[in-house]
Amino acid sequence: MPITAVTGSASGIGAALCAQLREAGHSVIGIDRANADINADLSTDEGRQQAISQVRDRCGDRLDHLVLCAGLGVTAPNTGLILAVNYFAVKALLDGLAPALSKGTEPSAVVVGSVAAVQPGVDQHPIIQTLLKGDEGEALAAIADQDPSLAYAGSKLAVSLLVRSKVHEWAKLGVRLNVVAPGVVETPLYKASTEDARYGEATRNFVAPLGRGSQPAELANVIRFLLSSQASFMHGTVVFADGGMDAMIRPNRF
Ligand code: NAI
């Protein structure tokens, strides 16, 4: 029975994934702020270290799969929290759990990114290099007065680039690592964006070519595929599961 750790397990995509994995016979270790097997605040270094050590204890330091789903959207209380959870927590958990994954069976990990990463201009913004440099204090200071949508898109682009930078290191460990980039998923995070005074209208009008948003289970299906041996040659890739949004935004690039 594979042992799989999932952050953001209490809601949305993470909760749907945990249900599917349990149904498929995985032993699931859910991590979230509350209502999880491990309750930890991933916006803090202390919470991240607590999550890492408790996962290592619970899996006997042999972890088969890791899915980093926890995230905050543009309605988060402040822009620093968006970077802390969407980027720095992912970085800390990848680094902290890589040794346990390297001892797992056909191990693999998936990070949940976003189609927001391809938002025009974000790749040229200095916050991306600041994030990749890895100094959390500097990044949080740099984003403090910026727009939440920049923090969100920047965190998702940086986390995707972070995954791609790890392909050699993780291949040597024998662990596959990929990103799933959703478009619209009908979850509390998305609902909060549609109701936001600043972003509501634009969010509601941003419709994928398929003409609808997705259900959390549709994303969970893609994540389970990437974790499985059916995806045994997929490594360092960003899989868009977005109803055609990436192709709509940048039809001439991929
Ligand atoms: P959600 O709000 O339903 O679930 C996110 C989970 O992350 C929640 O359970 C929340 O408690 C947890 N979380 C947030 N901050 C945390 C912290 N400090 N410590 C521990 N856990 C924390 O949202 P959803 O939509 O399921 O989001 C999952 C991932 O999918 C996120 O990374 C999000 O950015 C990404 N995504 C979502 C899209 C959407 O349309 N819903 C689109 C593209 C990406």
Side-chain angles (χ1 to χ4, degrees):
M1 180 157 65
I3 304 179
T4 303
V6 179
T7 70
S9 60
S11 178
I13 300 169
L17 177 67
C18 288
Q20 288 188 5
L21 290 172
R22 288 199 174 99
E23 179 74 28
H26 288 233
S27 174
V28 176
I29 306 171
I31 304 152
D32 210 303
R33 282 179 291 199
N35 305 316
D37 302 306
I38 298 172
N39 294 325
D41 179 357
L42 298 176
S43 71
T44 68
D45 192 46
E46 191 191 355
R48 295 166 198 156
Q49 295 313 320
Q50 187 192 328
I52 291 164
S53 70
Q54 287 191 34
V55 168
R56 293 184 76 158
D57 280 353
R58 279 173 181 256
C59 71
D61 218 18
R62 292 172 73 95
L63 186 63
D64 302 313
H65 305 299
L66 173 66
V67 181
L68 300 177
C69 221
L72 290 172
V74 289
T75 61
N78 63 66
T79 49
L81 273 180
I82 298 175
L83 298 191
V85 177
N86 295 10
Y87 183 77
F88 288 102
V90 171
K91 184 176 181 334
L93 267 69
L94 289 177
D95 292 344
L97 292 172
L101 281 164
S102 71
K103 294 175 216 144
T105 303
E106 296 185 54
S108 58
V110 171
V111 172
V112 178
S114 172
V115 74
V118 307
Q119 187 176 298
V122 173
D123 56 344
Q124 301 303 320
H125 197 282
I127 195 64
I128 301 302
Q129 291 313 316
T130 307
L131 283 168
L132 293 174
K133 222 167 83 185
D135 183 328
E136 188 164 359
E138 185 186 341
L140 266 54
I143 206 70
D145 298 324
Q146 301 279 348
D147 194 290
S149 66
L150 171 67
Y152 186 73
S155 71
K156 293 301 187 178
L157 175 57
V159 95
S160 306
L161 298 176
L162 176 73
V163 162
R164 290 169 74 79
S165 75
K166 288 186 178 296
V167 280
H168 292 297
E169 182 195 337
W170 280 52
K172 280 188 200 134
L173 295 175
V175 187
R176 292 187 303 103
L177 174 62
N178 293 289
V179 176
V180 168
V184 167
V185 194
E186 306 279 356
T187 68
L189 182 153
Y190 174 70
K191 187 165 184 288
S193 306
T194 62
E195 291 166 354
D196 186 80
R198 298 157 300 173
Y199 301 108
E201 195 179 350
T203 306
R204 291 191 299 274
N205 290 339
F206 193 48
V207 178
L210 281 187
R212 65 173 178 87
S214 61
Q215 293 304 309
E218 295 182 275
L219 270 297
N221 286 336
V222 179
I223 296 169
R224 276 196 304 126
F225 164 71
L226 283 174
L227 291 179
S228 76
S229 58
Q230 288 178 316
S232 54
F233 207 55
M234 297 184 77
H235 182 50
T237 196
V238 180
V239 176
F240 289 88
D242 63 356
M245 271 182 174
D246 174 42
M248 178 174 77
I249 297 167
R250 40 172 209 169
N252 301 316
R253 289 187 61 195
F254 63 92

Short mmCIF file of all heavy atoms in Angstrom, two decimals, residues 40-53 84 88-89 91-93 136:
data_model
loop_
_atom_site.label_atom_id
_atom_site.label_comp_id
_atom_site.label_asym_id
_atom_site.label_seq_id
_atom_site.Cartn_x
_atom_site.Cartn_y
_atom_site.Cartn_z
N ALA A 40 -0.73 21.87 10.61
CA ALA A 40 0.47 22.70 10.64
C ALA A 40 0.24 23.92 9.76
O ALA A 40 -0.38 23.83 8.71
CB ALA A 40 1.68 21.91 10.13
N ASP A 41 0.76 25.05 10.21
CA ASP A 41 0.67 26.28 9.42
C ASP A 41 1.89 26.37 8.51
O ASP A 41 2.99 26.67 8.96
CB ASP A 41 0.59 27.49 10.36
CG ASP A 41 0.51 28.80 9.59
OD1 ASP A 41 0.57 28.78 8.33
OD2 ASP A 41 0.39 29.85 10.24
N LEU A 42 1.68 26.11 7.23
CA LEU A 42 2.81 26.05 6.29
C LEU A 42 3.33 27.43 5.89
O LEU A 42 4.29 27.52 5.13
CB LEU A 42 2.40 25.25 5.05
CG LEU A 42 2.03 23.79 5.32
CD1 LEU A 42 1.54 23.12 4.03
CD2 LEU A 42 3.21 23.02 5.89
N SER A 43 2.71 28.48 6.41
CA SER A 43 3.25 29.82 6.11
C SER A 43 4.45 30.14 7.00
O SER A 43 5.14 31.12 6.75
CB SER A 43 2.17 30.90 6.28
OG SER A 43 1.86 31.07 7.65
N THR A 44 4.68 29.32 8.03
CA THR A 44 5.81 29.60 8.93
C THR A 44 6.86 28.49 8.83
O THR A 44 6.54 27.33 8.53
CB THR A 44 5.35 29.66 10.40
OG1 THR A 44 4.93 28.34 10.81
CG2 THR A 44 4.18 30.63 10.57
N ASP A 45 8.09 28.88 9.13
CA ASP A 45 9.16 27.88 9.12
C ASP A 45 8.91 26.80 10.16
O ASP A 45 9.10 25.61 9.91
CB ASP A 45 10.51 28.58 9.36
CG ASP A 45 11.65 27.64 9.05
OD1 ASP A 45 11.60 26.99 7.99
OD2 ASP A 45 12.55 27.50 9.90
N GLU A 46 8.42 27.22 11.31
CA GLU A 46 8.12 26.26 12.38
C GLU A 46 7.08 25.23 11.93
O GLU A 46 7.24 24.02 12.13
CB GLU A 46 7.62 27.04 13.60
CG GLU A 46 7.52 26.22 14.85
CD GLU A 46 6.76 26.99 15.95
OE1 GLU A 46 6.41 28.18 15.73
OE2 GLU A 46 6.51 26.37 16.99
N GLY A 47 6.00 25.72 11.30
CA GLY A 47 4.94 24.82 10.82
C GLY A 47 5.45 23.86 9.75
O GLY A 47 5.09 22.69 9.72
N ARG A 48 6.29 24.38 8.85
CA ARG A 48 6.86 23.52 7.79
C ARG A 48 7.72 22.41 8.41
O ARG A 48 7.61 21.24 8.02
CB ARG A 48 7.71 24.36 6.83
CG ARG A 48 6.93 25.38 6.05
CD ARG A 48 7.84 26.40 5.39
NE ARG A 48 7.09 27.59 4.99
CZ ARG A 48 7.63 28.79 4.82
NH1 ARG A 48 8.94 28.97 4.97
NH2 ARG A 48 6.88 29.81 4.49
N GLN A 49 8.58 22.77 9.36
CA GLN A 49 9.47 21.77 9.98
C GLN A 49 8.67 20.74 10.76
O GLN A 49 8.98 19.55 10.74
CB GLN A 49 10.52 22.46 10.89
CG GLN A 49 11.50 23.36 10.14
CD GLN A 49 12.07 22.70 8.88
OE1 GLN A 49 12.39 21.50 8.87
NE2 GLN A 49 12.18 23.47 7.79
N GLN A 50 7.59 21.22 11.41
CA GLN A 50 6.70 20.32 12.15
C GLN A 50 6.05 19.33 11.17
O GLN A 50 6.00 18.12 11.43
CB GLN A 50 5.64 21.20 12.80
CG GLN A 50 4.69 20.55 13.75
CD GLN A 50 3.54 21.54 14.05
OE1 GLN A 50 3.73 22.77 14.07
NE2 GLN A 50 2.36 21.01 14.25
N ALA A 51 5.57 19.83 10.03
CA ALA A 51 4.94 18.95 9.03
C ALA A 51 5.95 17.93 8.52
O ALA A 51 5.65 16.73 8.42
CB ALA A 51 4.38 19.78 7.87
N ILE A 52 7.16 18.38 8.21
CA ILE A 52 8.19 17.47 7.67
C ILE A 52 8.51 16.37 8.69
O ILE A 52 8.52 15.18 8.36
CB ILE A 52 9.46 18.26 7.29
CG1 ILE A 52 9.18 19.16 6.08
CG2 ILE A 52 10.64 17.32 7.01
CD1 ILE A 52 10.21 20.26 5.85
N SER A 53 8.75 16.76 9.94
CA SER A 53 9.17 15.73 10.90
C SER A 53 8.02 14.78 11.21
O SER A 53 8.23 13.57 11.36
CB SER A 53 9.77 16.36 12.17
OG SER A 53 8.77 16.97 12.90
N ALA A 84 4.58 32.90 0.91
CA ALA A 84 5.03 31.98 1.97
C ALA A 84 4.44 30.58 1.77
O ALA A 84 5.14 29.58 1.92
CB ALA A 84 4.64 32.54 3.34
N PHE A 88 7.42 29.28 -0.70
CA PHE A 88 8.43 28.86 0.28
C PHE A 88 8.07 27.57 1.01
O PHE A 88 8.95 26.77 1.34
CB PHE A 88 8.75 30.01 1.24
CG PHE A 88 9.54 31.10 0.56
CD1 PHE A 88 8.93 32.26 0.14
CD2 PHE A 88 10.89 30.92 0.28
CE1 PHE A 88 9.66 33.25 -0.52
CE2 PHE A 88 11.62 31.90 -0.40
CZ PHE A 88 11.01 33.07 -0.79
N ALA A 89 6.77 27.33 1.25
CA ALA A 89 6.39 26.06 1.88
C ALA A 89 6.66 24.89 0.93
O ALA A 89 7.12 23.83 1.36
CB ALA A 89 4.92 26.09 2.28
N LYS A 91 8.94 24.76 -1.43
CA LYS A 91 10.39 24.56 -1.47
C LYS A 91 10.86 23.79 -0.22
O LYS A 91 11.62 22.82 -0.32
CB LYS A 91 11.06 25.94 -1.53
CG LYS A 91 12.56 25.93 -1.67
CD LYS A 91 13.03 27.38 -1.81
CE LYS A 91 14.49 27.60 -1.99
NZ LYS A 91 15.43 26.66 -1.49
N ALA A 92 10.36 24.20 0.94
CA ALA A 92 10.80 23.56 2.20
C ALA A 92 10.37 22.10 2.25
O ALA A 92 11.16 21.23 2.65
CB ALA A 92 10.23 24.33 3.39
N LEU A 93 9.13 21.81 1.83
CA LEU A 93 8.66 20.42 1.91
C LEU A 93 9.34 19.53 0.87
O LEU A 93 9.62 18.35 1.14
CB LEU A 93 7.13 20.34 1.82
CG LEU A 93 6.47 20.33 3.21
CD1 LEU A 93 6.60 21.67 3.92
CD2 LEU A 93 5.01 19.91 3.14
N GLU A 136 13.57 34.31 1.91
CA GLU A 136 12.15 34.57 2.15
C GLU A 136 11.91 36.00 2.65
O GLU A 136 10.96 36.66 2.22
CB GLU A 136 11.58 33.54 3.15
CG GLU A 136 10.07 33.63 3.28
CD GLU A 136 9.45 32.41 3.95
OE1 GLU A 136 10.19 31.46 4.30
OE2 GLU A 136 8.22 32.41 4.12
#
